[in-house]
Structure formats: structure tokens, C-alpha cells
Amino acid sequence: MAHEFEIELEDDVQLQEPKKFKVFLLNDDYSTMDFVIDVLTKIFRKTADEATIIMLNIHNNGREVCGIYTHEIASTKVAQVKNMARSKGFPLKAVMEEE
């Protein structure tokens, strides 16, 4: 014999959008432009044209936003950049900041 239960929820449940974080790549004097473009296409899924524009902005301005994500995804992207850079011998660095 099955029992049925009815649960009444409060009407004023408040939902919030998760906080978003910007992921920046930082300029350095050692990472090649081709490597930065490779990072942007593989990790951030940018087209070749988008990656080139972002890479030039990083080179000229010191840093540039590569994407805006939830905390978990942003921290994963930062770690992926670090791992890919270290495996290729580059000091390229990514950081995240709350939007």
C-alpha cells in the first residue's frame, strides 16, 4: 500500500543567478603569440580570428578577458591554462575576477 505525501513550499522562494567570473590571460615576455592563440582556441574555444584579436589585446594592454563563466568553470579554465603552459615550458598565466 503506497502512501502519498504532499509538501507545501513557501511561495516566496528566491532564486539567484550564480556569480560570474571573468577569466583574463596576462601578458608575459616569453609565451609566443602562436602559443597564446593555441590556448585561446583549445581552452576558450575561440575562432582563429577572435583568438588573434584577444592575443593582440593581451600583448598591447597587459591582459584581456577571454571569457565569463561560473566559478567552477572559470577556475577550471585557469587550471587548464596553467597546465598547458607548463607542459610547453611557458609562464603564461590566467587569473579570474568576480564580475
Side-chain angles (χ1 to χ4, degrees):
M1 184 164 151
H3 298 291
E4 291 185 26
F5 294 98
E6 188 173 311
I7 299 173
E8 189 172 318
L9 299 176
E10 293 181 27
D11 291 337
D12 60 345
V13 174
Q14 294 181 5
L15 298 177
Q16 294 180 343
E17 288 287 322
K19 291 181 181 178
K20 298 286 186 161
F21 292 81
K22 295 178 182 179
V23 177
F24 293 88
L25 283 183
L26 306 180
N27 189 43
D28 64 67
D29 294 332
Y30 302 100
S31 300
T32 64
M33 292 180 175
D34 288 336
F35 176 71
V36 174
I37 290 173
D38 200 31
V39 166
L40 289 164
T41 56
K42 290 182 178 172
I43 295 176
F44 295 96
R45 301 187 184 272
K46 302 295 182 186
T47 65
D49 290 338
E50 291 172 324
T52 301
I53 291 168
I54 293 170
M55 177 274 301
L56 289 172
N57 286 337
I58 294 166
H59 180 73
N60 293 324
N61 303 324
R63 71 184 203 158
E64 181 65 32
V65 175
C66 301
I68 301 172
Y69 309 97
T70 60
H71 185 273
E72 293 78 13
I73 295 173
S75 61
T76 299
K77 299 281 185 192
V78 169
Q80 288 174 327
V81 169
K82 180 180 178 181
N83 291 337
M84 187 173 175
R86 298 311 171 264
S87 72
K88 301 291 184 181
F90 291 112
L92 185 65
K93 186 175 180 184
V95 295
M96 56 189 262
E97 295 178 3
E98 189 173 336
E99 187 176 41

